[in-house]
Amino acid sequence: MTASSTTYRIAVIAGDGIGTEVTPAGIDVLRHAVRGEDCALEFTDFPWGCEYYLRTGSMMSADALDRLQDFDAIYLGAVGAPGVPDHISVWELILPIRQRFDQYVNLRPMRLLPGVTSPLAGREPHEIDMVCVRENSEGEYAGLGGRLFADTPHEVAEQTGIFTRRGVDRIAQYAFALAARRPRRLLASATKSNALQHSMVLWDNAVEAVAGAHPSVEWRKYHVDALVARMVTHPQTLDVIVASNLFGDILTDLGAAITGSLGVAPGANINPERQYPSMFEPIHGSAPDIAGRGIANPIGAIWAGALMLDHLGLAAAHDRITTAIERVMAAGEVRTPDLGGQANTLDVTAAVVDALG
Ligand code: GGG
């Protein structure tokens, strides 16, 4: 480091279950990956999550969002634990962070890594290489609604999706710009405008208008039910997928499954204007069924960390990590049980650190 070097301040919320196992693994790799760069990473841990909720009645402290605002990025593990309803853990931690910091892009690469076997027979890495640009601030996860007459036979629940022209425009613009930078320059828009005649027709109209400004990108819309089938039958025809909040969430779990395991899939919640910190997380949850056994796959968290470095302007360090992940996967010797191996979280982390060279 020199006197003029930059220190990046990163807030860490390891959260619950395997989040507390894969997050230190990711930090270990990040620290090694930036050696030689003229910068330092400074990590600050926050004890928020379900255990905190069971002690205090809240998933985060009352001033959590104000405190997080001062960081350059947020590195999240996973949230969720038996005894805490899932809508509490998601609605009191992940979604408030995404909304408050206007992290309206949820970027989720879905790439079959070399050496990993897809459950789709015979597929090679070059045939499954997609990225989902999920709208992350409104849509079906806007959070509007309520319940009436709870626990009575005439109980009513209303959950309102919010689709704004501004919201769809900006996610479509991000997705088309990304597609234009990728070699195949393809974009698929996930819709369901045959049945959702208000929200998804607005979605289609906005996407079509943005497409006009990106003539280099070949695009088409698919009803989301047809798109899931296409991801299984013809994944090689898909490149960038732009989708609403709920559709994107579902499509990317399928994407993770066809790339071998939910454990390898990374996610980035991005505020492209950089007005607020962005947040990086593996897409998997806390996996209480394997938590505490030390066998969680750290690749999703490590890859999410690489996306964070890229966002911070450390593209070379990002590339070093993704190359190291590819080397370890291609060698096929050190893998966690979700990928058919017998290695544990620490073994895979050490192998990635070794492969950084
Ligand atoms: N890795 C963060 C985590 O725990 N994700 C679980 C989850 O269900 N997230 C909801 C979402 O991504 O919308």
Side-chain angles (χ1 to χ4, degrees):
M1 278 184 70
T2 64
S4 63
S5 72
T6 310
T7 297
Y8 295 102
R9 298 184 61 240
I10 296 161
V12 179
I13 309 172
D16 308 305
I18 63 167
T20 63
E21 300 167 34
V22 297
T23 305
I27 291 173
D28 193 14
V29 173
L30 291 173
R31 284 193 199 283
H32 281 86
V34 298
R35 279 188 189 159
E37 301 274 345
D38 194 19
C39 73
L41 303 178
E42 185 186 289
F43 295 95
T44 305
D45 287 309
F46 291 96
W48 300 325
C50 289
E51 213 174 277
Y52 189 86
Y53 175 85
L54 292 171
R55 262 188 294 118
T56 67
S58 305
M59 287 290 290
M60 300 192 283
S61 65
D63 60 355
L65 296 175
D66 291 335
R67 292 169 74 184
L68 290 174
Q69 181 153 351
D70 293 334
F71 286 84
D72 294 305
I74 303 164
Y75 190 45
L76 172 70
V79 291
V84 179
D86 287 341
H87 66 273
I88 298 278
S89 51
V90 168
W91 261 110
E92 288 200 13
L93 196 148
I94 295 180
L95 295 181
I97 294 175
R98 290 178 183 166
Q99 288 189 343
R100 162 79 175 262
F101 297 136
D102 205 16
Q103 296 166 348
Y104 63 86
V105 175
N106 189 197
L107 198 64
R108 293 185 165 188
M110 300 171 282
R111 186 151 71 85
L112 181 61
L113 296 170
V116 175
T117 306
S118 168
L120 305 182
R123 292 294 181 185
E124 297 292 327
H126 69 273
E127 296 176 290
I128 307 182
D129 183 3
M130 303 174 266
V131 56
C132 183
V133 178
R134 166 188 173 190
E135 203 295 317
N136 210 32
S137 64
E138 54 174 45
E140 306 87 342
Y141 291 11
L144 283 186
R147 278 169 77 179
L148 282 177
F149 315 122
D151 302 323
T152 70
H154 45 281
E155 185 166 6
V156 180
E158 187 202 329
Q159 187 90 41
T160 305
I162 298 289
F163 290 79
T164 66
R165 186 72 191 220
R166 170 180 172 266
V168 186
D169 273 352
R170 65 185 185 171
I171 199 67
Q173 270 156 9
Y174 188 97
F176 274 95
L178 176 64
R181 293 196 302 274
R182 286 169 62 94
R184 289 187 291 151
R185 287 192 238 141
L186 300 175
L187 183 140
S189 171
T191 186
K192 191 62 190 171
S193 48
N194 55 352
L196 302 174
Q197 79 276 42
H198 307 301
S199 56
M200 282 291 144
V201 173
L202 182 153
W203 176 277
D204 289 353
N205 293 345
V207 171
E208 192 168 350
V210 173
H214 295 273
S216 69
V217 176
E218 190 186 322
W219 81 284
R220 62 169 286 191
K221 65 182 185 193
Y222 296 89
H223 290 305
V224 68
D225 39 349
L227 187 56
V228 287
R230 177 163 282 267
M231 284 174 71
V232 171
T233 58
H234 298 81
Q236 75 283 8
T237 65
L238 297 167
D239 181 13
V240 173
I241 296 174
V242 64
S244 68
N245 216 327
L246 176 63
F247 290 174
D249 198 8
I250 297 169
L251 291 170
T252 52
D253 261 41
L254 174 65
I258 65 175
T259 59
S261 168
L262 197 54
V264 300
N269 305 276
I270 299 175
N271 172 243
E273 291 74 24
R274 296 170 186 271
Q275 197 181 351
Y276 303 106
S278 294
M279 177 166 72
F280 301 83
E281 55 173 322
I283 81 165
H284 63 69
S286 58
D289 54 330
I290 58 160
R293 293 169 56 196
I295 56 164
N297 192 337
I299 296 293
I302 294 170
W303 193 349
L307 296 177
M308 178 167 72
L309 296 187
D310 196 33
H311 181 76
L312 293 173
L314 301 166
H318 162 275
D319 294 351
R320 279 198 290 281
I321 295 178
T322 51
T323 303
I325 291 173
E326 283 170 13
R327 283 193 190 133
V328 171
M329 291 293 107
E333 283 157 17
V334 188
R335 286 185 184 175
T336 43
D338 56 306
L339 289 175
Q342 293 187 323
N344 63 30
T345 311
L346 295 179
D347 297 330
V348 174
T349 309
V352 174
V353 168
D354 264 2
L356 283 170

